[in-house]
Amino acid sequence: MNLNLIEDELNKLKTENNLRTLKTYSDNLLNLSSNDYLGLNEDILLRENFYKKYPNLPLSSSSSRLITGSYSLIMDLENKLEEIYKKPALVFNTGFDGNCCVIETMANKNTLILSDKLNHASIHDGIIHSGAKLLRYRHLDLNHLESLLLKYENEYDDILVISETTYSMDGDEVDLKKLTSLKDKYNFQLMIDEAHSYGVHGYGIAYNLNLVDKIDFLLIPLGKGGASIGAYLITNKLFKEYLINKGRKFIYTTALPPINIAWNLYILENMNNFKNKITALEDLRVYTKNKIESLGLETISTSQIISIIIGTNEKTIELCNRLLKKGYLLYPIKEPTVPRGTARLRIGLNPHITKEQINNFMEDLNYELNSIL
Ligand SMILES: Cc1ncc(COP(=O)(O)O)c(C=O)c1O
């Protein structure tokens, strides 16, 4: 390990305004960066009712799933998932583990993976670990994907297509009906990540559109709208058994604690009681989008994640600092997370944010945008 090289790299990041640092922010700020899209994590009554139902659960599972970590609550959760999605389910500790594990275990050097260019780092890492041949299609461009399927379907027996439903950086969404309909024409397996749509769309977009059957690996991370931790994989019986036997990130890790698993089950069982939150979020989304457009700003978002492109890292950081002083917590999304020159503000809405707060924020944002260099 060359210490000089490490220091040089960090210094370079600093000069490029790209150095990541860890901070704690005051609770008094209006948090526009949260991924708690339904506000379930902030719902005190919901939390109290949960603790009444499960007053004394252990805080560790103390074991991996294959030893004693498959305790009854986690099996109940997988059974409940199977009842809802009508396919077997497997719980992972995080979305990152779930994506990586499925891809690196199920794909190999004979696989061709066609992956949306903006897919999450966990998907990319899984692909690298798998040794598969990777081609990235243009973001959300299903015509480009189809041209690749056409070109390569005779060359590869084993093709895996990977997409997310809602994309985290722009809040744009895949046309899942069109994507799954490609399966009627071409021979491939499909993996879908619903990190940013679970909760926001109840059990998810695939479930609502009745498309779960067409998806070979439906991965649902729970750290966002799910207000928790962990991830559900909905797949078939054979793939589930294979992952239990071969998935290193499933086998060699301690299972999630009962307290988290009970909370996941509780959210799942109560999902139909959150309809008013889902409607309120949709109402706020439309309101905010109209407001942004009325100020002459642009966004390509079609979801609860609304990004406003600012330009350079420097300008975006300065804008966030100024907004922070006015009481808004907004994390600047910078290059290299997004392409050069497209650093942006990323707003994550939730039903606890009021329209009045949005109005005030937009006024302040407009003022700062006009006064910044
Ligand atoms: C699309 C997507 N998939 C997976 C993950 C990883 O999930 P987790 O935070 O549960 O590891 C994230 C972000 O965290 C994500 O945005």
Side-chain angles (χ1 to χ4, degrees):
M1 208 158 270
N2 184 324
L3 298 191
N4 288 338
L5 280 184
I6 291 178
E7 268 180 26
D8 286 352
E9 257 187 73
L10 288 173
N11 283 334
K12 185 165 178 274
L13 287 174
K14 210 179 272 176
T15 7
E16 289 170 350
N17 279 312
N18 256 333
L19 190 72
R20 300 174 206 258
T21 56
L22 302 176
K23 291 189 197 109
T24 304
Y25 292 97
S26 149
D27 286 341
N28 297 326
L29 300 166
L30 176 64
N31 187 352
L32 295 171
S33 276
S34 171
N35 292 328
D36 180 21
Y37 304 125
L38 282 190
L40 299 180
N41 191 37
E42 282 184 51
D43 187 330
I44 305 299
L45 190 62
L46 187 72
R47 197 187 305 166
E48 278 173 8
N49 287 337
F50 166 75
Y51 283 130
K52 269 186 213 148
K53 184 164 180 189
Y54 297 104
N56 213 1
L57 282 175
L59 303 177
S60 171
S61 73
S62 311
S63 175
S64 70
R65 286 294 302 275
L66 286 163
I67 317 285
T68 57
S70 285
Y71 48 88
S72 58
L73 261 174
I74 207 164
M75 299 308 258
D76 289 349
L77 176 60
E78 285 175 349
N79 289 336
K80 183 73 193 169
L81 287 162
E82 181 158 356
E83 193 185 306
I84 293 168
Y85 293 93
K86 310 275 183 278
K87 278 172 87 172
L90 194 59
V91 174
F92 284 89
N93 286 1
T94 66
F96 208 109
D97 276 1
N99 273 332
C100 261
C101 187
V102 168
I103 302 166
E104 72 191 18
T105 311
M106 305 307 300
N108 57 46
K109 64 178 180 17
N110 300 318
T111 312
L112 170 66
I113 297 185
L114 301 177
S115 181
D116 186 294
K117 197 158 187 285
L118 295 191
N119 277 343
H120 189 257
S122 55
I123 295 175
H124 199 67
D125 280 15
I127 296 172
I128 301 296
H129 296 166
S130 76
K133 159 101 176 143
L134 165 66
L135 291 175
R136 300 203 293 172
Y137 58 92
R138 286 190 293 273
H139 178 49
L140 294 179
D141 187 343
L142 300 185
N143 292 331
H144 187 209
L145 170 63
E146 182 163 9
S147 70
L148 293 174
L149 285 167
L150 195 63
K151 186 164 172 197
Y152 290 101
E153 69 169 344
N154 293 329
E155 245 179 76
Y156 287 85
D157 298 333
D158 184 13
I159 299 182
L160 175 64
V161 172
I162 311 177
S163 176
E164 300 175 22
T165 42
T166 305
Y167 278 82
S168 169
M169 291 302 126
D170 286 310
D172 46 358
E173 296 163 291
V174 75
D175 181 343
L176 197 58
K177 260 194 195 149
K178 187 167 170 193
L179 176 53
T180 51
S181 74
L182 290 175
K183 284 195 107 186
D184 301 334
K185 285 181 44 197
Y186 305 95
N187 185 22
F188 65 92
Q189 283 172 346
L190 180 60
M191 177 165 183
I192 296 291
D193 176 328
E194 291 232 38
H196 298 276
S197 44
Y198 180 69
V200 176
H201 296 267
Y203 295 133
I205 294 177
Y207 176 90
N208 287 350
L209 296 177
N210 214 2
L211 295 172
V212 175
D213 236 11
K214 294 203 152 200
I215 298 167
D216 303 274
F217 306 98
L218 176 61
L219 203 278
I220 308 177
L222 303 171
K224 299 145 196 329
S228 185
I229 186 160
Y232 304 144
L233 173 71
I234 312 297
T235 188
N236 65 36
K237 189 165 172 287
L238 187 71
F239 293 161
K240 173 172 171 174
E241 195 174 358
Y242 192 70
L243 284 161
I244 292 171
N245 281 278
K246 296 280 184 182
R248 296 171 67 80
K249 292 185 174 69
F250 178 83
I251 300 170
Y252 300 109
T253 189
T254 305
L256 282 179
I259 187 89
N260 302 101
I261 291 297
W263 176 241
N264 290 338
L265 182 58
Y266 190 75
I267 300 268
L268 195 69
E269 286 174 339
N270 278 289
M271 192 60 89
N272 288 327
N273 300 330
F274 303 144
K275 290 209 168 113
N276 54 346
K277 293 179 189 285
I278 293 172
T279 314
L281 178 62
E282 174 58 10
D283 186 41
L284 189 70
R285 178 189 79 76
V286 173
Y287 184 84
T288 308
K289 202 168 170 204
N290 287 341
K291 198 87 200 155
I292 288 173
E293 283 164 3
S294 74
L295 289 177
L297 299 171
E298 275 178 42
T299 175
I300 55 167
S301 160
T302 51
S303 73
Q304 80 287 354
I305 301 165
I306 303 190
S307 282
I308 304 173
I309 295 186
I310 304 299
T312 61
N313 283 357
E314 204 177 2
K315 187 172 173 187
T316 313
I317 293 168
E318 170 65 13
L319 189 59
C320 286
N321 286 340
R322 290 182 183 204
L323 289 167
L324 186 66
K325 285 193 190 123
K326 295 196 162 170
Y328 305 105
L329 178 52
L330 270 168
Y331 187 74
I333 309 289
K334 299 168 288 187
E335 183 221 338
T337 305
V338 289
R340 181 170 285 252
T342 70
R344 62 200 69 183
L345 299 184
R346 176 189 179 277
I347 304 168
L349 296 174
N350 73 65
H352 292 295
I353 300 171
T354 65
K355 288 181 181 167
E356 196 189 348
Q357 285 172 321
I358 292 291
N359 287 346
N360 293 340
F361 168 69
M362 287 300 165
E363 225 170 83
D364 288 330
L365 172 64
N366 201 29
Y367 174 84
E368 294 301 346
L369 268 176
N370 288 328
S371 63
I372 210 164
L373 284 179

